[in-house]
Amino acid sequence: MNYYGQPNGLNNGQLPPQMYYDDETTADEKKEIRRTFNTVGIVLLTLYILILVFYYAGSKLFRGEMEYNEYGQAIYKFADTIVGWCFPALTAMLVFAGYCALSRYNPKELFRTNKLNGKEIAKYVIIVLFLQQLSVILSFIMSNGLYSLGLEVAGMNYVREHTPAVYAVDVFSTIILAPIGEELVFRGIVLRCTAKISQRFAIFLSAFIFGIMHGNPYQFVLGFLLGIPMAMITIKTGSIIPSIICHMAANVIASVQTVVDYFSEDISFALTVITLPVFLIVGLVVFVSEIISGEMKLPAYTAYHKKRTFPILITSWSMIVVMVFYVADLLMCIQPIEELPEMAEQAARIFLRS
């Protein structure tokens, strides 16, 4: 049994999940499932609140007045990058450590290596990169739709101060800190806890939360699409090491643009446009072959699971509260355009960074 509660992470067509085995839910069973959802919700609420506290505290202590360029874009300097990118990832690690201490959970279980297969991980990395490029296309369509309505996503329209320190911190937080911190919470806590109720439900729930917690529609699409295969391989292997690798790979691709951008914005933009179809074609081939072979088959989701997932989830107070916060953040970031960029390319740069 892996730490998600099912042999080899699969239902095998037998008794569905892990914690409960009666056909009908009892009052005690519902209470225990609700407690599981509330635990996840409290973790997410704690993360949400601490990120806000540390962000505003860091802004007051380290950041000066935000500066803007001639296009009205915010200029992120060294302190802005530390507070905006490093603090959230470090906060996620802190929340995970707190969860482990309070629940007496041994985090070593999350880093099992006995079922890891390099070839399988490589396939999932390619699939993640394929979905990453697909999200770029979807974001471009969404961006054009918003601009046609006179709307833009606030907070995404920024540029970095052109210094080595800013770019170095950006790349370090993107490639190292964010993948580790976010995977510990979203695959290590959210997925692990809810998979004990239903693995398929947990896959999509964790991916949805992972997407929506980013607070903007572009990264919601990205996070949701990438969250699905990363959750699947976590359940298959019983380890978050593969999902961290997939997450890092996706962020490396994004960071290549950042590094090249330091030397030439035009080359960076051209590189993204050129590499996009390559990842799409190669990734699509691997993705389709994995589906045909049955390697990416989702765990079972029966009437048994249906009684124990969404109907009880919507009675969890902490999950309702955190979802309201996340949805509100996403909706409020869509605002009227104050000043239209002079070129469509300028708009494209905004979401390609994500």
Side-chain angles (χ1 to χ4, degrees):
M1 303 284 280
N2 68 18
Y3 74 90
Y4 289 92
Q6 294 174 329
N8 301 321
L10 302 173
N11 284 311
N12 296 326
Q14 304 301 316
L15 283 174
Q18 302 67 244
M19 296 167 66
Y20 320 100
Y21 292 96
D22 293 330
D23 288 338
E24 296 298 327
T25 54
T26 64
D28 289 341
E29 184 181 351
K30 288 181 179 179
K31 184 177 180 180
E32 188 172 356
I33 296 173
R34 188 177 297 109
R35 185 183 298 115
T36 298
F37 283 130
N38 275 326
T39 297
V40 172
I42 291 171
V43 167
L44 295 173
L45 272 174
T46 303
L47 177 64
Y48 183 91
I49 293 170
L50 287 180
I51 285 177
L52 287 180
V53 170
F54 292 152
Y55 178 82
Y56 285 108
S59 297
K60 291 292 184 182
L61 293 174
F62 306 113
R63 297 175 63 182
E65 290 293 327
M66 183 64 71
E67 296 183 12
Y68 299 87
N69 63 14
E70 65 272 22
Y71 297 109
Q73 296 171 303
I75 302 174
Y76 272 50
K77 297 186 177 182
F78 182 77
D80 302 314
T81 308
I82 292 289
V83 173
W85 301 138
C86 295
F87 275 26
L90 293 173
T91 303
M93 295 179 192
L94 176 64
V95 168
F96 176 78
Y99 167 82
C100 291
L102 293 174
S103 64
R104 297 182 180 179
Y105 175 69
N106 184 359
K108 290 182 179 180
E109 292 185 23
L110 294 172
F111 296 92
R112 296 181 177 185
T113 59
N114 58 310
K115 292 183 179 180
L116 299 188
N117 181 294
K119 184 178 179 180
E120 184 176 35
I121 294 174
K123 289 180 180 179
Y124 272 84
V125 167
I126 294 173
I127 290 170
V128 163
L129 297 182
F130 160 67
L131 294 174
Q132 181 186 35
Q133 304 313 309
L134 181 61
S135 74
V136 169
I137 296 174
L138 295 175
S139 296
F140 183 72
I141 295 172
M142 190 184 305
S143 175
N144 283 338
L146 290 174
Y147 272 96
S148 67
L149 297 173
L151 301 172
E152 68 175 348
V153 176
M156 295 293 290
N157 197 0
Y158 69 91
V159 294
R160 304 171 186 82
E161 184 180 39
H162 202 71
T163 63
V166 169
Y167 278 74
V169 171
D170 191 318
V171 170
F172 176 72
S173 64
T174 300
I175 296 178
I176 305 298
L177 294 183
I180 295 175
E182 291 175 3
E183 292 308 308
L184 286 173
V185 171
F186 295 100
R187 255 60 68 178
I189 298 178
V190 178
L191 178 68
R192 184 183 66 85
C193 289
T194 56
K196 296 176 183 179
I197 304 167
S198 165
Q199 290 187 343
R200 181 182 293 193
F201 184 81
I203 287 169
F204 288 100
L205 177 65
S206 62
F208 178 82
I209 295 175
F210 178 57
I212 203 170
M213 71 89 185
H214 284 89
N216 67 78
Y218 302 148
Q219 288 181 299
F220 166 73
V221 173
L222 175 68
F224 179 69
L225 289 179
L226 270 58
I228 294 172
M230 291 195 295
M232 290 178 67
I233 194 170
T234 300
I235 286 179
K236 288 181 69 174
T237 62
S239 171
I240 66 169
I241 293 175
S243 67
I244 290 177
I245 293 173
C246 289
H247 199 150
M248 285 181 171
N251 287 6
V252 163
I253 298 302
S255 294
V256 166
Q257 181 195 0
T258 299
V259 174
V260 177
D261 185 70
Y262 176 74
F263 299 98
S264 172
E265 291 186 0
D266 293 331
I267 295 177
S268 173
F269 183 74
L271 179 65
T272 302
V273 173
I274 293 171
T275 57
L276 188 148
V278 174
F279 286 115
L280 279 176
I281 295 171
V282 175
L284 180 61
V285 171
V286 175
F287 183 61
V288 172
S289 65
E290 288 295 287
I291 291 177
I292 293 175
S293 66
E295 292 297 320
M296 290 195 70
K297 184 178 180 180
L298 288 166
Y301 187 69
T302 66
Y304 176 97
H305 296 95
K306 293 177 182 178
K307 296 176 183 178
R308 291 160 171 80
T309 50
F310 191 74
I312 301 179
L313 173 68
I314 59 177
T315 66
S316 166
W317 68 267
S318 60
M319 289 296 289
I320 292 174
V321 171
V322 77
M323 287 296 185
V324 169
F325 285 163
Y326 283 153
V327 172
D329 282 347
L330 188 146
L331 294 177
M332 287 191 297
C333 80
I334 302 175
Q335 299 177 1
I337 298 174
E338 295 183 3
E339 182 178 351
L340 283 170
E342 294 184 3
M343 298 186 303
E345 176 187 325
Q346 190 70 26
R349 291 182 189 277
I350 296 172
F351 71 84
L352 286 174
R353 278 195 297 262
S354 65

